[in-house]
Amino acid sequence: MREPKPERKFRPDGRRPQRPEAAPADDEHLIEGRNAVTEALKSGRTINKVFIVSGGGDHGLVRLSAMAREAGAVVVETDRRKLDQMSPTGAHQGIIAMASAHDYSTVDDMLRLAEERGEKPLLIICDELSDPHNLGAILRTGECAGAHGVIIPKRRSVGLTAVVAKASAGAIEYMPVARVSNLVAAIQDLKERGLWIYGTAADGATPLHQVDLTGPAAIVIGSEGDGMGRLVAEQCDFKVSIPLKGKITSLNASAAAAVLLYEAVRQRG
């Protein structure tokens, strides 16, 4: 006798449940989009495999395919549906690369970089940012502004994911990022090394136009919802307010970082 078929279960809205998909690969190892893959290849990062949309009519993708093969990567042509399933960002532009794990730097690496350049250190400290687009934008702006590194906490913070890499437009390949266990201890260590700590705060006592960013400096950017945590805020030498002329009472994290970074660029000449 044949066993009865299992009863089909439906969702409350009457639809069948979606068939479970295979678990995605660790997206800290995925690089999406043409600019991001180009910069990864140019920087010499180890690329294991590149998935590229089949068709062959796109000259930009043909060039990237040749670059990837020259770098020793396996290039696999596939259809766009497969890329859509792989993509954490939903904006792969026809190419996704699988890279070796992204190495984090150390704070010592960042200070050494500043010394090698003959510059005063300029660091960015992100206090529990959860939006990967914000972190990616900060990496991009920091790299363009000549900052020497970004420090993030290990807990309650986004890491170097594929979405961060995409939002950074390739800057993730050049901007050192350190992940520390204790952000307050890291700030205290920076102060002992002679850096001044500038936190962004809507109620900051020091207006932007009065702040001196010509010396060794670290700029603290608070989380999207709550700003800087109390313990981190207590470590700041200055709490800097950015003038706001409209009805909105705050800038988002990446915009605030850009304002302070380019004020530092202006002052340092």
Side-chain angles (χ1 to χ4, degrees):
M1 173 181 271
R2 296 176 60 184
E3 294 185 5
K5 292 181 180 180
E7 182 182 355
R8 285 178 176 163
K9 296 182 179 179
F10 291 83
R11 300 189 323 205
D13 60 7
R15 297 180 180 178
R16 294 177 184 174
Q18 295 292 321
R19 180 176 298 173
E21 297 181 358
D26 179 359
D27 71 358
E28 290 200 18
H29 299 176
L30 295 182
I31 305 171
E32 296 186 52
R34 303 185 186 200
N35 286 340
V37 174
T38 298
E39 295 302 334
L41 290 167
K42 286 167 59 178
S43 73
R45 185 173 177 190
T46 301
I47 305 296
N48 300 320
K49 186 178 290 187
V50 173
F51 294 89
I52 193 165
V53 70
S54 56
D58 190 311
H59 296 297
L61 291 178
V62 171
R63 178 183 60 82
L64 277 173
S65 177
M67 286 179 63
R69 286 191 173 96
E70 186 176 348
V74 175
V75 177
V76 178
E77 290 194 6
T78 187
D79 60 37
R80 188 168 295 276
R81 182 184 302 177
K82 171 68 173 177
L83 292 176
D84 291 342
Q85 290 173 348
M86 293 175 61
S87 171
T89 70
H92 50 73
Q93 298 176 315
I95 187 167
I96 297 177
M98 295 184 67
S100 58
H102 212 295
D103 293 331
Y104 286 92
S105 299
T106 66
V107 175
D108 287 340
D109 292 334
M110 300 172 184
L111 299 180
R112 192 178 304 114
L113 176 61
E115 184 177 358
E116 290 170 355
R117 292 181 182 174
E119 299 169 347
K120 300 289 178 62
L122 178 60
L123 306 182
I124 308 160
I125 300 171
C126 297
D127 184 12
E128 300 184 6
L129 286 188
S130 60
D131 186 342
H133 296 93
N134 268 332
L135 181 56
I138 287 171
L139 295 181
R140 183 176 186 174
T141 304
E143 202 282 326
C144 291
H148 303 105
V150 175
I151 301 171
I152 62 176
K154 287 185 177 178
R155 299 179 60 192
R156 296 187 294 275
S157 174
V158 65
L160 298 182
T161 65
V163 179
V164 172
K166 171 73 173 166
S168 80
I172 196 172
E173 305 300 334
Y174 306 103
M175 174 59 59
V177 178
R179 212 171 190 183
V180 299
S181 299
N182 188 318
L183 205 56
V184 170
I187 292 173
Q188 291 171 341
D189 179 61
L190 290 174
K191 293 172 76 169
E192 291 174 2
R193 294 175 183 233
L195 276 73
W196 294 91
I197 311 299
Y198 300 86
T200 54
D203 58 350
T206 307
L208 177 66
H209 65 273
Q210 294 181 11
V211 70
D212 181 359
L213 294 167
T214 57
I219 296 168
V220 182
I221 305 298
S223 67
E224 294 88 347
D226 302 323
M228 292 185 294
R230 179 181 60 83
L231 295 178
V232 168
E234 288 174 354
Q235 295 298 321
C236 294
D237 297 301
F238 301 94
K239 294 178 185 175
V240 182
S241 60
I242 299 172
L244 300 171
K245 302 299 185 181
K247 296 181 180 180
I248 304 299
T249 58
S250 66
L251 296 173
N252 80 354
S254 58
V259 170
L260 263 74
L261 283 167
Y262 272 92
E263 177 62 17
V265 170
R266 185 191 70 79
Q267 292 184 18
R268 294 176 179 217

